[in-house]
C-alpha cells in the first residue's frame, strides 16, 4: 500500500487495516434474511449493528437491548465506528446525522456550513423568505413552513439536533414544543438567561414538566465566551458534539415512545 493509499484509508500515522469482503445471498456469505431487515432498519432511520464472527461465520443483526453483545454494539454506535469487539466484527449502520436550524439569522449562516463539515445534513427553517433565501444559504435545504409543521415533516429522531435561533417566541416556541415531544439528542435555544426563564415559564404553563424542559440547552452553546456570530456557532457545534459523543451528558428524559 502506498502512502497515498494509507492516508486515504485513515492510516496517515501508520497502522494496519483489515478489510472484510462478503458475497451476498450465496454460499457462506451474508444471507438475504439478514440483509432485508438491515435495509429496512436503515430506511426507517433505526440504528443497527451487523455482527459477524469470522472464525465460524456466525452472524446476527443487533437492533436493541437483549443481546449479549449489545453493550459493545451500543458503544460502537455512539462512536460511529465499526470494528472488532473480541472475536466479533461489529458493522455500524447509524442513520445519517441531521440538524434542523430554526431561524435564518447571522448565526445560522455560520452554523449551517460548520455543521455540514461535521457530517450533518442541514435544513434551515424560517417562514420569513427574505431571511431563509438561497442567496443567504446557497446549497442548503430551506423550508418556509411554520417551524412546528416543518419539523414534523422533516422527522425528528435520536440522530437529529434542533437549534432555534430566531429569538422570537412565536417562532421558537412551536419548534421547541415539537422537539421536546420527540427523541432528538440535542435541543438548543438562543437567548439570555432571562429570556430562557421566560421560555421555561411559558412551557410550564403549556403543561410541560420540569424534566422535559431541562432538555433545552438555554442559553445555547458551550460557555466559551463567544460573542460574534461565528464564535457562537462554534460554541453550539461544540455542545452538540459533546451531547452526541457523550450521551451520558444529555439532560432530562426523552419522552416514552419518542425517537
Amino acid at each position: 500500500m502506498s502512502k497515498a493509499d494509507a492516508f486515504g484509508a485513515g492510516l496517515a500515522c501508520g497502522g494496519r487495516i483489515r478489510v472484510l469482503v462478503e458475497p451476498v445471498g450465496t454460499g457462506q456469505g451474508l444471507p438475504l434474511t439478514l440483509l432485508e431487515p438491515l435495509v429496512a432498519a436503515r430506511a426507517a432511520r433505526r440504528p443497527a449493528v451487523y455482527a459477524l464472527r469470522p472464525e465460524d461465520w456466525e452472524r446476527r443483526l443487533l437492533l436493541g437491548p437483549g443481546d449479549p453483545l449489545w453493550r459493545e454494539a451500543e458503544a460502537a454506535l455512539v462512536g460511529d465506528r465499526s470494528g472488532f469487539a473480541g472475536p466479533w466484527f461489529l458493522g455500524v449502520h447509524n442513520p445519517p446525522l441531521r440538524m434542523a436550524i430554526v431561524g435564518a439569522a447571522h448565526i445560522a449562516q455560520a452554523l449551517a456550513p460548520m455543521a455540514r463539515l461535521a457530517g450533518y445534513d442541514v435544513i434551515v427553517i424560517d417562514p420569513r423568505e427574505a431571511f431563509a433565501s438561497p442567496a443567504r444559504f446557497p446549497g442548503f435545504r430551506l423550508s418556509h413552513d411554520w417551524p412546528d409543521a416543518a419539523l414534523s415533516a422533516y422527522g425528528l429522531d435520536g440522530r437529529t439536533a434542533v437549534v432555534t435561533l430566531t429569538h422570537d417566541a412565536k417562532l421558537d416556541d412551536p419548534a421547541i414544543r415539537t422537539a421536546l415531544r420527540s427523541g432528538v439528542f440535542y435541543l438548543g435555544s438562543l437567548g439570555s438567561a432571562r429570556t430562557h426563564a421566560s421560555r421555561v415559564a411559558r412551557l410550564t404553563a403549556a403543561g410541560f414538566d420540569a424534566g422535559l424542559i431541562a432538555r433545552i440547552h438555554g442559553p445555547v452553546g458551550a460557555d466559551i465566551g463567544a460573542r460574534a456570530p461565528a464564535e457562537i456557532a462554534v460554541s453550539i457545534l461544540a455542545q452538540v458534539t459533546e451531547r452526541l459523543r457523550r450521551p451520558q451528558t444529555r439532560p432530562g428524559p426523552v419522552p416514552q415512545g419518542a425517537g
Side-chain angles (χ1 to χ4, degrees), residues 2-210:
S2 69
K3 289 185 178 180
D5 289 337
F7 186 83
L11 301 175
C13 297
R16 300 168 62 189
I17 186 169
R18 289 183 285 181
V19 179
L20 172 67
V21 180
E22 292 185 272
V24 175
T26 183
Q28 293 188 356
L30 173 64
L32 294 179
T33 53
L34 274 184
L35 179 61
E36 288 168 353
L38 176 57
V39 170
R42 289 175 62 89
R45 289 186 56 83
R46 185 179 179 189
V49 173
Y50 168 56
L52 167 69
R53 188 165 58 193
E55 63 188 38
D56 59 5
W57 300 108
E58 181 181 343
R59 303 170 173 86
R60 59 183 187 263
L61 191 61
L62 311 179
L63 296 171
D67 189 284
L69 278 174
W70 181 247
R71 178 177 295 181
E72 291 82 357
E74 193 171 32
L77 287 168
V78 170
D80 270 325
R81 182 172 295 178
S82 301
F84 277 89
W88 288 91
F89 175 76
L90 302 180
V92 169
H93 294 267
N94 256 327
L97 289 166
R98 302 187 301 175
M99 180 181 290
I101 302 173
V102 179
H106 292 313
I107 297 170
Q109 286 181 286
L111 178 59
M114 289 181 189
R116 175 179 281 175
L117 284 171
Y120 289 81
D121 178 25
V122 178
I123 184 172
V124 179
I125 300 167
D126 199 317
R128 302 167 297 183
E129 296 187 24
F131 285 80
S133 68
R136 299 183 75 233
F137 294 89
F140 284 94
R141 179 179 174 185
L142 304 175
S143 173
H144 299 127
D145 292 336
W146 208 253
D148 52 348
L151 289 177
S152 295
Y154 187 54
L156 301 178
D157 56 31
R159 293 278 288 179
T160 305
V162 175
V163 182
T164 69
L165 300 174
T166 73
H167 213 281
D168 183 339
K170 70 177 181 292
L171 294 176
D172 280 352
D173 283 9
I176 293 168
R177 291 195 297 267
T178 301
L180 282 177
R181 296 186 182 103
S182 77
V184 296
F185 77 87
Y186 179 88
L187 171 59
S189 298
L190 185 68
S192 65
R194 183 175 179 178
T195 298
H196 186 61
S198 298
R199 180 184 297 131
V200 169
R202 292 193 302 273
L203 290 169
T204 301
F208 289 88
D209 64 41

